């Protein structure tokens, strides 16, 4: 089976490409490298010993998308490509709507033309907004609180309408919780430019002394220790969820949460990072970050039941692997 992976040079996409190659899928990547580096292609080859076909194209260019389908005729598409920074999406909403929506519309239109039917989409727990209770299951009401989240919900709605109009499509929507960690090889991982928005990349930059101190946003939440609780999932468990989605024999429009089902507070994560890496992370409490919620964690019962999804890695692995990746790549 030939799989087109959009955004395959990015954080989650690159790990998924490794899994796909290890399972003998043929892989074609389209990525405009707006948030990733070309070196990832060589690293994927180094890890797997296998080749991938790569197109440095922007999916917002429909003619380019068509060139890929005409040449490659993929059987399935896993669509990771998109912009993902919540804060930036508030500053630049039009950029987010344009990039995330146009790229997806182009893909779906060309898939329809070339009769490619299997589509796996990267959605996010952010579509749930502030949940009324926990854990969050797939039937919870959806109410994103920022333009980035709204693009995810809009795409979910587009997919539902498309499926309604043409039920030969086979669509899986995966709602990710908080991916962290990195590939065990130390070759693939997440190392954002500038000051990170997300917790684990920030902790790692304090560990490498690129940043002096971790700001913990709020210590008065209604949680175990007052700090925000999230469902952190190792990127390698998350990536394998995409292979399971391709293997799933159920056809139709399906939605799954991908999380561990376990909530971890900011302090619990920082303390675990210190312990397993034997390093001190200076931290200070500051005001809550606007728009943050107390706690968010998944019910992953549906993914377990229907996809045989399971999490093999624990919080210790996540902390070790995140730091290991950045230590290996610090001067690149
Ligand atoms: P990432 O930024 O590392 O990867 C996305 C890739 O898409 C990048 O390599 C980027 O260059 C590429 N891209 C962006 N716009 C493109 C376009 N128009 N044409 C071609 N390529 C384009 O992000 P990630 O963390 O790997 O996330 C992958 C997907 O998962 C995204 O859709 C993101 O919204 C979603 N998601 C991520 C998280 C998270 O915390 N990382 C959580 C929930 C959902
Ligand atoms: N936090 C800090 N200090 C920091 C960064 C984060 O204390 O410097 C706290 C936050 O307040 C929150 C927790 O750490 O309590 C996690 O924050 P992240 O920014 O790492 O993750 P979020 O849950 O806020 O959001 C992320 C992505 C979203 C995605 C969501 C669910 O940024 O795009 O996970 O998948 F939708």
């Amino acid at each position: 089976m030939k799989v087109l992976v959009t955004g395959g040079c990015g954080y989650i996409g690159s790990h998924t490409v490794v899994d796909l190659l290890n399972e003998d899928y043929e892989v074609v990547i389209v990525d405009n490298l707006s948030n990733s580096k070309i070196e990832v292609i060589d690293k994927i080859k180094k890890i797997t010993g296998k080749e991938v076909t790569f197109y440095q194209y922007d999916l917002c260019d429909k003619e380019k998308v068509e060139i890929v389908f005409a040449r490659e005729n993929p059987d399935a598409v896993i669509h990771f490509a998109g912009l993902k920074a919540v804060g930036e999406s508030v500053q630049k909403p039009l950029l987010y709507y344009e990039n995330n929506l146009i790229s997806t519309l182009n893909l779906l239109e060309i898939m329809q033309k070339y009769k490619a039917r299997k589509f796996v989409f990267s959605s996010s727990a952010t579509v749930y907004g502030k949940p009324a209770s926990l854990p969050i299951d797939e039937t919870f009401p959806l109410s994103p609180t920022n333009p980035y989240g709204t693009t995810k919900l809009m795409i979910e709605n587009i997919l539902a309408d498309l499926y309604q109009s043409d039920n030969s499509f086979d669509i899986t929507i995966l709602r990710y919780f908080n991916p962290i960690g990195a590939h065990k090889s130390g070759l693939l991982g997440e190392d954002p430019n500038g000051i990170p928005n997300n917790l684990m990349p920030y902790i790692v930059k304090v560990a490498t002394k690129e940043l002096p101190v971790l700001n913990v946003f709020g210590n008065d939440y209604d949680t175990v220790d007052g700090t925000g609780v999230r469902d952190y999932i190792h990127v390698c468990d998350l990536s394998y969820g995409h292979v399971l989605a391709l293997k799933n024999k159920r056809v139709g429009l399906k939605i799954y949460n991908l999380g561990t089902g376990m909530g971890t507070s900011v302090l619990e994560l920082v303390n675990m990072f210190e312990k397993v890496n034997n390093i001190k992370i200076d931290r200070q409490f500051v005001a809550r970050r606007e728009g943050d919620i107390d706690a968010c964690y998944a019910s992953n019962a549906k993914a377990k039941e229907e996809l045989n999804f399971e999490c093999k890695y624990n919080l210790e692995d996540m902390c070790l692997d995140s730091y290991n990746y950045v230590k290996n790549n610090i001067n690149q």
Side-chain angles (χ1 to χ4, degrees):
M1 188 193 240
K2 191 186 266 194
V3 187
L4 171 61
V5 181
T6 77
C9 295
Y11 175 46
I12 308 169
S14 58
H15 288 82
T16 304
V17 169
V18 166
D19 286 342
L20 291 169
L21 292 170
N22 284 340
E23 302 250 342
D24 289 331
Y25 290 89
E26 252 185 280
V27 177
V28 177
I29 294 176
V30 175
D31 197 306
N32 64 1
L33 303 181
S34 59
N35 197 36
S36 51
K37 297 191 178 117
I38 186 72
E39 292 86 312
V40 166
I41 299 290
D42 283 337
K43 291 176 174 177
I44 289 171
K45 286 182 195 166
K46 200 167 170 186
I47 293 170
T48 62
K50 293 188 178 160
E51 295 292 325
V52 286
T53 307
F54 172 60
Y55 293 87
Q56 187 179 345
Y57 285 170
D58 192 319
L59 294 160
C60 293
D61 182 341
K62 202 196 298 183
E63 283 175 16
K64 291 280 172 43
V65 179
E66 178 141 22
I67 289 172
V68 175
F69 275 77
R71 279 195 203 149
E72 303 290 345
N73 198 19
D75 305 291
V77 175
I78 306 183
H79 182 33
F80 293 102
L83 298 175
K84 62 165 183 175
V86 172
E88 188 187 46
S89 80
V90 176
Q91 305 303 320
K92 300 178 185 168
L94 298 183
L95 175 69
Y96 272 66
Y97 287 115
E98 182 179 352
N99 189 72
N100 292 1
L101 295 176
I102 304 291
S103 58
T104 308
L105 289 172
N106 285 346
L107 259 179
L108 293 171
E109 199 179 312
I110 302 294
M111 280 183 74
Q112 200 159 33
K113 183 165 170 186
Y114 285 79
K115 303 200 175 352
R117 285 294 176 259
K118 205 163 179 70
F119 189 74
V120 180
F121 174 60
S122 300
S123 190
S124 167
T126 197
V127 295
Y128 294 115
K130 188 173 166 43
S133 62
L134 292 163
I136 300 169
D137 76 37
E138 291 83 351
T139 64
F140 271 39
L142 306 178
S143 60
T145 55
N146 55 69
Y148 162 69
T150 305
T151 68
K152 292 296 178 192
L153 180 55
M154 289 169 89
I155 294 169
E156 290 201 9
N157 289 337
I158 289 167
L159 292 172
D161 289 342
L162 178 66
Y163 181 71
Q164 177 85 15
S165 74
D166 179 354
N167 63 16
S168 68
F169 266 101
D170 181 6
I171 296 171
T172 305
I173 293 169
L174 299 176
R175 293 182 182 148
Y176 312 153
F177 282 67
N178 292 54
I180 59 173
H183 195 264
K184 290 277 175 211
S185 63
L187 292 173
L188 301 175
E190 188 181 30
D191 188 12
N193 292 327
I195 297 184
N197 300 306
N198 299 118
L199 181 59
M200 181 55 95
Y202 204 109
I203 294 174
V204 172
K205 283 201 189 289
V206 175
T208 57
K209 308 238 180 300
E210 289 166 81
L211 291 169
V213 58
L214 171 70
N215 294 311
V216 178
F217 299 142
N219 60 351
D220 55 353
Y221 284 112
D222 185 15
T223 60
V224 58
D225 56 21
T227 65
V229 164
R230 297 290 184 274
D231 185 338
Y232 298 98
I233 174 169
H234 196 291
V235 65
C236 293
D237 283 328
L238 184 73
S239 64
Y240 199 70
H242 298 75
V243 176
L244 295 172
L246 288 185
K247 289 184 170 169
N248 192 4
K249 293 278 181 276
R250 286 178 174 74
V251 286
L253 175 72
K254 297 137 297 194
I255 303 180
Y256 301 103
N257 285 341
L258 292 185
T260 63
M262 244 181 51
T264 301
S265 75
V266 174
L267 290 183
E268 285 170 338
L269 188 68
V270 181
N271 292 340
M272 178 63 81
F273 188 95
E274 286 187 323
K275 183 175 147 213
V276 300
N277 291 305
N278 193 22
I279 192 166
K280 177 101 183 67
I281 301 296
D282 288 327
R283 79 288 294 268
Q284 63 188 7
F285 293 116
V286 298
R288 291 179 175 199
R289 182 171 63 179
E290 201 183 329
D292 269 358
I293 54 176
D294 297 43
C296 168
Y297 52 89
S299 160
N300 60 11
K302 189 175 172 199
K304 278 184 170 163
E305 164 77 25
E306 296 189 8
L307 295 179
N308 294 322
F309 177 69
E310 54 172 335
C311 291
K312 298 194 175 104
Y313 300 100
N314 59 25
L315 210 59
E316 298 183 21
D317 299 307
M318 299 181 213
C319 292
L320 276 171
D321 297 341
S322 291
Y323 191 35
N324 180 43
Y325 170 72
V326 173
K327 276 190 296 187
N328 276 342
N329 293 275
I330 203 153
N331 291 319
Q332 288 181 24

